[in-house]
Amino acid sequence: MDIAALRSANPDHWMKATAIRALTLDAVAAANSGHSGMPMGMADVATVLFENHLKFDAANPDWPDRDRFILSAGHGSMLLYSLLHLTGYQDMTLEDLRNFRQWGAKTAGHPEYGHAEGIETTTGPLGQGIANSVGFAIAEEALRARFGKKLMDHHTYVIAGDGCLMEGVSQEAISLAGRQGLGKLILLWDNNNITIDGTVDLADRTDQVKRFRASGWHVQEIDGHDPAAIDAALTEAKRTRKPSMIACKTHIALGHAAQDTSKGHGALTDADQLKAAKDAYGWPHGPFDVPSDVKSAWEAIGKRGAADYADWQARLVEASAQRQAEIERIFARNVPSKLSARIKALKKQVSEEAPKVATRKSSEMVLEVINPIMPETIGGSADLSGSNNTRSGDMTVFDEGNRKGRYIHYGIREHGMAAAMNGMVLHGGIRPYGGTFMCFTDYARPSMRLAALMKIPTVFVMTHDSIGLGEDGPTHQPIEHLAISRATPNTWVFRPCDTVETAEAWELALNSKETPSVLSLTRQGLPTLRREHKAKNLTAQGAYVLADAEGKRQAILLATGSEVAIAMAARDILQETGIGTRVVSMPCWELFEEQDESYRRRVLPAGPVRVAVEAAIRFGWDRWLYGERGKREKGEFVGMHDFGASAPAEVLYEQFGITAEAVAEKVKALL
Amino acid sequence: MDIAALRSANPDHWMKATAIRALTLDAVAAANSGHSGMPMGMADVATVLFENHLKFDAANPDWPDRDRFILSAGHGSMLLYSLLHLTGYQDMTLEDLRNFRQWGAKTAGHPEYGHAEGIETTTGPLGQGIANSVGFAIAEEALRARFGKKLMDHHTYVIAGDGCLMEGVSQEAISLAGRQGLGKLILLWDNNNITIDGTVDLADRTDQVKRFRASGWHVQEIDGHDPAAIDAALTEAKRTRKPSMIACKTHIALGHAAQDTSKGHGALTDADQLKAAKDAYGWPHGPFDVPSDVKSAWEAIGKRGAADYADWQARLVEASAQRQAEIERIFARNVPSKLSARIKALKKQVSEEAPKVATRKSSEMVLEVINPIMPETIGGSADLSGSNNTRSGDMTVFDEGNRKGRYIHYGIREHGMAAAMNGMVLHGGIRPYGGTFMCFTDYARPSMRLAALMKIPTVFVMTHDSIGLGEDGPTHQPIEHLAISRATPNTWVFRPCDTVETAEAWELALNSKETPSVLSLTRQGLPTLRREHKAKNLTAQGAYVLADAEGKRQAILLATGSEVAIAMAARDILQETGIGTRVVSMPCWELFEEQDESYRRRVLPAGPVRVAVEAAIRFGWDRWLYGERGKREKGEFVGMHDFGASAPAEVLYEQFGITAEAVAEKVKALL
């Protein structure tokens, strides 16, 4: 590249963009770690985007109607940090940039949601940002339909690299966005032709332009170092009614000795080369030194949206008090005040009527209560609507022609669905939930982890949660998936035993502000075990005594979900032979772990033998089979020891020995 | 559809195809469960494929040079079972079809590899078959280059549905196949426009023809019920040098009342409708009744390849004895006899030289020994070659111009890589391994599970296996991923502590015939702890005493991987204060679990307090912190309790309290 020509063609632009490049070089050099090349390559695109297009106000980073900027190529985090600092975000100081990638810094190696304002989502695992952005754009469409253009009318911009486009989840996102005609979604592809291993060509020759067009996107191709071309393309992208991809031909590590090489992808720390690059840039300033005229120009950009923000505030004030309160409520992730009473009423009703239904059906019964009073929910399924029971009767289908629809046909895209749901939560104003078979936790897993890491309350409705799925066989029978979700920090895994616990689990999931929930629900029918109505949400304690021993307490049976009924039947057998048996339902291990030790000891006292029963592997159960520290009980487990099989559910339970008789036998053997 | 016209146009073809339809209807009706519509829609395509193109011999299903037929749309399993039965596979009887989806039957709900000959891979989780097929085709190319066209020259055919094409992994597979120019891969798309929720249009409007072309595929569009068109397209697909996609426009549940509806996707069991369909077909026969002329015609197809097989056998006999033995060896998944001695020599050398290296580097040292003597290995990485250390010095890059290359740049496609590796193992003759960061187990997970379920020895090289990854931060730091893999049945999770254990782990992984391996390897340097050479593979026992207590044994420290060195340092501290401390290295829990109880008790005797240390969450460790059944020791854990953070590795270990001092303190507190 002829750097001198770039400098002289647009000197003002050049200096602003070069501030990003210089800060990136300095921060990576200080950390001796990081990715220099991407921010250096995309500095021009980002500068034009922030200067002329992005609707934002650095002083009001939480403004609901701001444009969203998502850095899907999260390894280029210094691009984002530089932009936030330069435009004057209060909590992104020069000191923060100096502490890039250090303990306690906001400026983590990859952008971490919650670390600083302006970081709209956590990225780094490639493809996630693109897939989140589909959710952001859906949220904007839904809220615009609900509140009108005066209050909600903004764009979602995402920068993605070759890695993002190679990840499969990007295809799910692109095709879903195309199908939904998300016209306010604009993707800027950093087409630099370089990955870590070398040129993109080593692994991929996909014609991305044709690929995006095949999914209904509007596509432009530009020189990503030409400010006028960037500006014109963004203008055109905003005009078109399709989702828009701008292929920005760029040079990774522009102006550095490592330009256009895979070395440029990584940490450029050589002092001489760094100086040479800065010399070429016409940037004689020391580390982290941004001259005041350049900083002022950037800060003016950061204030450019102040008037937009003020106008929006004025429009908000014009709206009804009710509407103002509603917007405040949904963006604060508060549930409606009446939710609690409605859930209690449902619990009371079902504890009296005692239906025998699958908990996936229970979940639908709860959704019939929730959805009419929570207009912020958006439901959906990865092409298993009838099986996941995720669509309540009041929900119409979200579509180009019906943006008030609150049900999304995500297609056979579990991963894209999970990532899009995360995007909706992050956008704010929406409480999404989506369903698939629990076994396909595997497909959704990268986004489920990020929900936990980002501390956002996405709700994953996972039905057909054991061998109870039956004939579809081992590929579709989750065995280890409860363990997988339980092993993930900051995740509530609910496995309710009946409709009452299902209602309680939903109440907790919706009241959660910082923890995602996995609802593990059955295909097969289950009896109502909570026959005595209790207003209190017992599931909130994680585990509780469902039925206590009659006579001397000799055994405690621990169970979740569909196996609680088996434990209750085992208790009948044992009590008949005079063995006093307590049954503890454990719908949520994580919440039980959060209780104080005295409650845990009351539920699981020392002394009696313990048998746990769950139609899944034992992994993790030892935590509960043995007592609190320093105490020990004899414990045994009834459950799965290997993958499942294809047969009717009842046959499988029998063949795998997950029966009341087997549980009773284990207790007798331990005594 | 005008069924009468179809019948009369090609009566012989019609009856053969209708045998598939009838058997499908009968089996699903008998099971009262399953998917009727797909086999009914694709029966014509499958019939022409088997009759005129597929190189196979029902009497010799394991013939290495057969064409491979993969049913990616695995829910249509009755298509495959019908074909295997009709063409005369010995182990697919009418009784097996009658037992569709029943306990113990070969005919599981979805095709399960190993249940019957002719099932080339397990499918059902959508997209997996497509992604496997890329591995099959790579294996064929590699073996053709190695042994010549006389011994290896066949096609891979895959039938995929709309669901397969919506799953993100399909994009990874399609783009990798396009990049690699896998001309012998032919994909038949069941373009029936129906998914479970309704028409495809509900969720997707992707132009699949353009999408495949964008990735370099040859594409044709045909009427999937026109035998001549199917035949011509297959002929053309075999001719072209690109991977080939044939879009077959079909009618799901052809001829049934549920034709072209989502109901047709599921189980069609209504007796009257079933009879009406059979009437329309001109098929007056009872359940599972295939007239002898039709069965004979199918059996002739099953014998069509007998001559091809005999010719191949003759060519094999002409080859050198060495070549014959080599083919037999690699298809039997046997390692070369000299592997054991070479591994021992390396162990001896490194135990003497005691290098301080990361175990990812140790792994590379082992690969430098393995790859030159195991020409069947194919290595690769998902764009992290330099970080995963997966490429040994002798490996050139596998590419259109170099099919003898044994290193694959998979691109940023962890899922596609894992699925392709499974395909290579399933094809036979190849021992693939591939690397990524351990955190991206999340992306590869659906295929890692299937490797375990299929009982195939794929090797997953997972580096940067803890917070020791450092500055990249929590998105890239595995915390729960050891638990995830350990929770999966039939998976060996190796976490070696030094180069010696790494060599032992590789030896076990390569000797495995039925269990996949996860190698959990560090980014950071580790000392050599196995300084005294032992010829015996100690890792094979799963856990062993690395250093015993001096004096009275008061404490046992359990550790894996990078934390074994911390445990050893803690032992030093404790021994200095007179606390006799044993250190147990546990490189593979699963193999330790397989040892007899007496060995486990010798390694972990009752009495001493136990402290486990691992830079991951505790989940699962309780199994080892408490003694064998009926015994209990006081146990504690030093490790992670939440997600990681971005900072240099040493800082993270210190901040998260994973230090020798912390371990020693825990022991003292317990005593």
Side-chain angles (χ1 to χ4, degrees):
Chain A
M1 284 299 291
D2 185 345
I3 301 293
L6 286 176
R7 280 172 59 182
S8 59
N10 301 281
D12 287 350
H13 165 84
W14 175 261
M15 280 302 154
K16 287 196 286 281
T18 292
I20 297 171
R21 293 188 178 99
L23 288 173
T24 296
L25 282 166
D26 294 339
V28 171
N32 196 30
S33 159
H35 297 264
S36 314
M38 185 279 180
M40 294 163 72
M42 283 297 277
D44 295 308
V45 170
T47 298
V48 174
L49 173 65
F50 273 64
E51 180 161 10
N52 298 346
H53 297 275
L54 192 76
K55 181 170 74 170
F56 77 109
D57 177 8
N60 290 287
D62 276 343
W63 171 24
D65 194 31
R66 70 192 181 278
D67 284 348
R68 303 301 195 276
F69 172 66
I70 294 162
L71 186 70
S72 192
H75 54 278
S77 55
M78 272 308 300
L79 179 71
L80 179 57
Y81 302 148
S82 300
L83 287 162
L84 296 178
H85 169 68
L86 289 166
T87 56
Y89 277 74
Q90 288 297 308
D91 72 346
M92 188 58 73
T93 66
L94 213 49
E95 197 56 28
D96 292 316
L97 301 192
R98 286 186 203 274
N99 284 329
F100 182 51
R101 291 180 158 239
Q102 303 310 304
W103 177 259
K106 294 164 189 160
T107 46
H110 295 80
E112 301 285 340
Y113 176 70
H115 277 211
E117 300 284 2
I119 301 175
E120 303 281 7
T121 181
T122 293
T123 51
L126 293 173
Q128 295 296 323
I130 293 184
N132 292 157
S133 75
V134 173
F136 276 91
I138 288 172
E140 193 270 346
E141 294 279 0
L143 293 169
R144 179 149 40 87
R146 185 173 174 204
F147 295 110
K149 287 181 75 161
K150 284 189 178 177
L151 294 179
M152 201 62 60
D153 189 17
H154 56 262
H155 286 85
T156 302
Y157 295 94
V158 52
I159 287 184
D162 297 297
C164 292
L165 299 194
M166 271 195 249
E167 290 287 0
V169 70
S170 70
Q171 181 65 19
E172 301 186 19
I174 292 164
S175 56
L176 180 58
R179 166 60 187 86
Q180 283 289 349
L182 300 173
K184 298 202 144 201
L185 174 59
I186 297 173
L187 186 151
L188 298 146
W189 169 34
D190 180 16
N191 180 13
N192 62 32
N193 198 33
I194 295 294
T195 70
I196 291 173
D197 273 5
T199 57
V200 168
D201 176 70
L202 277 178
D204 192 40
R205 286 180 188 152
T206 300
D207 185 327
Q208 299 292 357
V209 169
K210 288 185 182 160
R211 176 186 170 207
F212 276 79
R213 286 195 178 130
S215 284
W217 284 58
H218 175 267
V219 182
Q220 301 172 77
E221 295 178 83
I222 61 166
D223 173 354
H225 301 296
D226 177 349
I230 298 163
D231 188 62
L234 283 165
T235 300
E236 173 65 12
K238 288 193 289 187
R239 198 196 53 76
T240 177
R241 298 170 73 92
K242 293 180 178 182
S244 198
M245 191 274 259
I246 305 173
C248 309
K249 191 82 210 74
T250 63
H251 296 273
I252 198 167
L254 181 88
H256 188 279
Q259 180 186 308
D260 300 327
T261 69
S262 61
K263 187 173 179 306
H265 194 286
L268 302 176
T269 54
D270 180 276
D272 292 339
Q273 290 182 342
L274 193 156
K275 185 176 182 308
K278 285 192 175 180
D279 286 348
Y281 295 160
W283 189 271
H285 320 294
F288 300 102
D289 182 5
V290 179
S292 59
D293 60 329
V294 178
K295 185 68 167 80
S296 299
W298 267 115
E299 284 175 0
I301 293 171
K303 290 173 182 150
R304 190 175 47 79
D308 291 327
Y309 174 70
D311 291 348
W312 180 84
Q313 276 288 7
R315 292 194 297 275
L316 183 65
V317 170
E318 280 168 25
S320 67
Q322 195 188 0
R323 175 154 285 200
Q324 289 178 51
E326 179 68 356
I327 289 176
E328 190 172 332
R329 179 185 73 78
I330 62 176
F331 274 85
R333 296 179 190 161
N334 289 328
V335 297
S337 53
K338 57 189 160 194
L339 179 69
S340 172
R342 298 292 175 88
I343 292 282
K344 282 192 186 79
L346 176 68
K347 282 168 59 179
K348 187 161 189 298
Q349 183 195 336
V350 293
S351 62
E352 285 163 7
E353 294 175 358
K356 184 179 177 186
V357 291
T359 47
R360 63 186 170 121
K361 181 68 185 172
S362 305
S363 173
E364 184 182 316
M365 292 161 67
V366 182
L367 289 171
E368 296 288 0
V369 168
I370 291 167
N371 286 331
I373 63 168
M374 287 188 71
E376 69 268 36
T377 58
I378 288 190
S381 164
D383 197 47
L384 290 167
S385 294
S387 299
N388 300 145
N389 299 71
T390 32
R391 185 171 170 188
S392 58
D394 60 320
M395 280 182 156
T396 59
V397 173
F398 179 84
D399 205 343
E400 272 177 297
N402 181 30
R403 291 303 194 203
K404 290 191 172 172
R406 285 164 53 206
Y407 193 78
I408 298 182
H409 287 292
Y410 285 104
I412 298 110
R413 304 183 182 103
E414 300 82 7
H415 194 177
M417 172 175 76
M421 291 200 295
N422 286 349
M424 289 179 222
V425 180
L426 292 162
H427 179 281
I430 302 289
R431 293 302 297 266
Y433 66 86
T436 185
F437 285 166
M438 192 174 197
C439 215
F440 303 140
T441 296
D442 287 350
Y443 281 80
R445 164 82 200 148
S447 301
M448 292 175 75
R449 179 180 208 248
L450 281 169
L453 177 58
M454 289 193 274
K455 298 196 172 82
I456 57 172
T458 316
V459 181
F460 303 96
V461 180
M462 300 307 202
T463 73
H464 298 62
D465 70 346
S466 74
I467 53 167
L469 163 133
E471 292 89 344
D472 274 348
T475 54
H476 286 52
Q477 289 163 359
I479 299 300
E480 69 275 39
H481 301 80
L482 283 166
I484 287 173
S485 287
R486 286 172 180 157
T488 308
N490 190 40
T491 301
W492 288 340
V493 183
F494 293 106
R495 193 159 190 259
C497 72
D498 68 0
T499 309
V500 175
E501 280 192 2
T502 306
E504 291 178 340
W506 264 112
E507 185 178 26
L508 293 161
L510 293 169
N511 273 284
S512 170
K513 293 193 175 186
E514 295 199 337
T515 301
S517 296
V518 174
L519 298 181
S520 168
L521 305 172
T522 66
R523 176 195 186 196
Q524 72 273 31
L526 300 179
T528 297
L529 297 173
R530 289 273 296 278
R531 302 293 303 276
E532 186 190 337
H533 174 60
K534 287 210 164 65
K536 188 176 173 186
N537 188 323
L538 301 185
T539 300
Q541 295 170 305
Y544 61 90
V545 179
L546 178 65
D548 212 343
E550 291 167 27
K552 184 178 175 235
R553 188 166 56 220
Q554 292 181 268
I556 302 178
L557 306 180
L558 301 83
T560 74
S562 41
E563 285 68 68
V564 179
I566 291 174
M568 290 294 278
R571 176 178 174 276
D572 289 346
I573 296 171
L574 290 164
Q575 288 286 167
E576 265 177 39
T577 57
I579 300 170
T581 303
R582 166 180 284 193
V583 172
V584 172
S585 179
M586 301 190 75
C588 184
W589 289 12
E590 298 78 22
L591 289 172
F592 188 50
E593 190 74 83
E594 281 180 19
Q595 307 303 305
D596 57 32
E597 191 172 330
S598 70
Y599 175 75
R600 290 203 306 267
R601 286 194 188 212
R602 276 207 307 284
V603 174
L604 298 177
V609 300
R610 297 181 186 180
V611 172
V613 51
E614 186 169 71
I617 55 154
R618 178 176 179 147
F619 201 84
W621 267 105
D622 290 63
R623 166 72 183 88
W624 308 112
L625 290 180
Y626 306 113
E628 297 293 331
R629 189 188 314 172
K631 306 266 174 189
R632 177 188 155 91
E633 283 62 50
K634 288 184 189 171
E636 268 292 0
F637 177 74
V638 172
M640 297 296 291
H641 302 280
D642 202 341
F643 294 108
S646 172
E650 322 77 75
V651 176
L652 293 172
Y653 270 88
E654 198 65 39
Q655 290 285 352
F656 287 117
I658 305 174
T659 62
E661 292 71 26
V663 173
E665 285 310 309
K666 284 273 190 199
V667 168
K668 289 176 190 168
L670 285 170
L671 284 172
Chain B
M1 282 301 287
D2 186 344
I3 300 294
L6 287 177
R7 282 172 59 183
S8 60
N10 302 283
D12 287 349
H13 164 84
W14 176 261
M15 280 301 154
K16 286 196 286 281
T18 293
I20 297 171
R21 294 187 178 100
L23 288 173
T24 296
L25 282 167
D26 294 339
V28 171
N32 196 30
S33 159
H35 298 264
S36 314
M38 186 278 180
M40 293 164 72
M42 284 297 278
D44 296 307
V45 170
T47 298
V48 175
L49 173 64
F50 274 63
E51 180 162 8
N52 298 345
H53 298 275
L54 192 76
K55 181 171 73 171
F56 78 110
D57 177 8
N60 290 289
D62 277 343
W63 172 21
D65 195 32
R66 70 191 181 278
D67 285 348
R68 303 303 196 275
F69 172 66
I70 293 162
L71 186 70
S72 191
H75 54 279
S77 55
M78 272 309 301
L79 179 70
L80 179 56
Y81 303 148
S82 301
L83 287 162
L84 297 178
H85 169 68
L86 289 166
T87 55
Y89 279 73
Q90 288 297 309
D91 72 345
M92 188 60 71
T93 64
L94 213 49
E95 198 55 29
D96 293 314
L97 301 191
R98 286 185 203 273
N99 284 330
F100 182 51
R101 291 180 160 239
Q102 303 309 305
W103 177 259
K106 293 166 188 157
T107 47
H110 295 81
E112 302 285 339
Y113 176 71
H115 277 212
E117 301 286 0
I119 301 175
E120 302 281 7
T121 179
T122 293
T123 51
L126 294 173
Q128 295 296 322
I130 292 184
N132 292 157
S133 75
V134 174
F136 277 91
I138 287 173
E140 193 271 346
E141 293 280 0
L143 293 170
R144 180 152 37 90
R146 185 172 175 205
F147 295 109
K149 286 180 78 162
K150 284 189 178 176
L151 294 179
M152 202 61 59
D153 189 16
H154 57 263
H155 286 85
T156 302
Y157 296 94
V158 53
I159 287 184
D162 297 297
C164 292
L165 298 195
M166 273 196 248
E167 290 288 1
V169 70
S170 70
Q171 181 65 20
E172 300 184 20
I174 292 164
S175 57
L176 180 57
R179 166 60 187 85
Q180 283 289 349
L182 300 173
K184 298 203 146 203
L185 175 60
I186 298 174
L187 186 150
L188 298 147
W189 170 34
D190 179 15
N191 180 14
N192 61 31
N193 197 35
I194 295 295
T195 70
I196 290 173
D197 273 5
T199 58
V200 168
D201 177 71
L202 277 178
D204 193 41
R205 287 181 187 150
T206 300
D207 185 327
Q208 300 292 357
V209 169
K210 288 186 182 160
R211 177 188 170 203
F212 275 79
R213 286 198 176 127
S215 285
W217 284 57
H218 176 267
V219 182
Q220 302 171 77
E221 296 177 84
I222 61 165
D223 174 355
H225 300 298
D226 178 348
I230 298 163
D231 187 62
L234 284 165
T235 301
E236 172 67 12
K238 287 194 288 190
R239 198 197 53 76
T240 178
R241 298 170 74 93
K242 294 179 179 182
S244 198
M245 191 275 259
I246 305 174
C248 308
K249 192 82 209 77
T250 62
H251 296 274
I252 198 166
L254 182 88
H256 189 278
Q259 180 187 308
D260 300 328
T261 70
S262 60
K263 188 174 178 305
H265 194 286
L268 303 176
T269 54
D270 180 277
D272 293 338
Q273 291 182 344
L274 195 155
K275 183 174 182 311
K278 284 193 176 178
D279 286 348
Y281 294 161
W283 189 270
H285 319 293
F288 300 102
D289 182 5
V290 178
S292 59
D293 60 328
V294 178
K295 185 69 168 78
S296 298
W298 267 115
E299 283 175 2
I301 293 172
K303 289 173 184 152
R304 190 175 46 79
D308 291 328
Y309 174 70
D311 291 350
W312 181 83
Q313 277 287 10
R315 292 195 297 274
L316 183 64
V317 170
E318 281 168 23
S320 68
Q322 192 187 4
R323 178 155 282 202
Q324 290 179 51
E326 178 69 356
I327 290 177
E328 190 173 334
R329 179 185 73 78
I330 62 176
F331 274 85
R333 297 179 190 161
N334 289 329
V335 299
S337 53
K338 57 188 159 194
L339 179 69
S340 172
R342 297 292 174 90
I343 293 282
K344 283 193 187 82
L346 176 68
K347 281 168 59 179
K348 186 159 191 296
Q349 181 193 338
V350 293
S351 63
E352 283 163 6
E353 294 175 359
K356 185 182 175 182
V357 291
T359 46
R360 63 185 170 122
K361 180 70 185 168
S362 305
S363 173
E364 184 181 316
M365 292 160 68
V366 182
L367 289 171
E368 297 288 359
V369 169
I370 291 169
N371 286 330
I373 62 168
M374 285 187 74
E376 68 268 38
T377 59
I378 288 191
S381 164
D383 197 46
L384 290 167
S385 295
S387 299
N388 300 144
N389 299 72
T390 32
R391 185 172 170 185
S392 60
D394 59 321
M395 280 182 158
T396 59
V397 173
F398 179 83
D399 205 343
E400 272 175 297
N402 181 29
R403 291 303 194 203
K404 290 192 174 173
R406 284 165 53 205
Y407 193 79
I408 297 182
H409 287 291
Y410 286 103
I412 299 109
R413 304 183 182 104
E414 300 82 6
H415 194 177
M417 173 176 75
M421 291 199 294
N422 286 350
M424 288 180 223
V425 180
L426 291 162
H427 179 281
I430 302 289
R431 293 302 297 264
Y433 65 86
T436 185
F437 286 166
M438 192 176 198
C439 215
F440 303 141
T441 296
D442 287 351
Y443 281 80
R445 164 80 199 150
S447 301
M448 293 174 74
R449 179 181 208 249
L450 281 169
L453 178 57
M454 289 193 276
K455 298 197 171 79
I456 57 172
T458 316
V459 181
F460 304 96
V461 180
M462 299 308 201
T463 73
H464 299 61
D465 71 345
S466 75
I467 53 168
L469 163 133
E471 293 89 342
D472 274 348
T475 54
H476 286 53
Q477 289 162 0
I479 300 301
E480 69 274 40
H481 301 80
L482 283 166
I484 287 173
S485 287
R486 286 172 179 159
T488 308
N490 190 40
T491 301
W492 288 341
V493 183
F494 293 106
R495 193 159 188 259
C497 72
D498 69 359
T499 309
V500 175
E501 280 193 1
T502 306
E504 292 178 339
W506 264 113
E507 185 178 27
L508 292 161
L510 293 169
N511 273 285
S512 169
K513 293 195 175 185
E514 297 200 335
T515 301
S517 296
V518 174
L519 298 180
S520 168
L521 305 172
T522 67
R523 177 195 186 195
Q524 71 273 29
L526 300 179
T528 297
L529 297 173
R530 288 273 296 278
R531 301 292 303 276
E532 186 190 337
H533 174 60
K534 288 209 164 64
K536 187 176 174 187
N537 187 322
L538 300 185
T539 300
Q541 296 170 304
Y544 61 92
V545 179
L546 179 65
D548 213 343
E550 291 168 27
K552 183 178 177 240
R553 188 164 58 219
Q554 294 180 266
I556 301 178
L557 306 180
L558 301 83
T560 74
S562 39
E563 285 69 67
V564 179
I566 291 174
M568 291 294 279
R571 177 180 175 274
D572 289 345
I573 295 171
L574 290 164
Q575 288 286 166
E576 266 177 39
T577 57
I579 300 170
T581 304
R582 166 181 285 193
V583 171
V584 172
S585 180
M586 300 191 75
C588 184
W589 289 13
E590 297 78 22
L591 289 172
F592 188 50
E593 191 74 82
E594 281 180 20
Q595 305 304 305
D596 58 32
E597 191 172 329
S598 70
Y599 176 75
R600 291 204 306 267
R601 286 193 189 212
R602 277 207 308 282
V603 175
L604 298 177
V609 301
R610 298 182 186 180
V611 173
V613 51
E614 185 169 73
I617 55 154
R618 177 176 179 148
F619 202 85
W621 268 105
D622 289 63
R623 167 70 184 87
W624 308 113
L625 289 180
Y626 306 114
E628 297 293 329
R629 189 189 312 172
K631 305 266 174 189
R632 176 184 157 95
E633 282 62 49
K634 290 184 188 171
E636 270 290 2
F637 178 74
V638 173
M640 297 296 291
H641 302 282
D642 203 340
F643 293 108
S646 173
E650 323 77 77
V651 176
L652 292 173
Y653 270 87
E654 197 65 38
Q655 291 285 351
F656 287 117
I658 305 173
T659 62
E661 292 72 24
V663 173
E665 285 309 309
K666 285 272 190 201
V667 168
K668 289 177 188 166
L670 285 171
L671 285 171

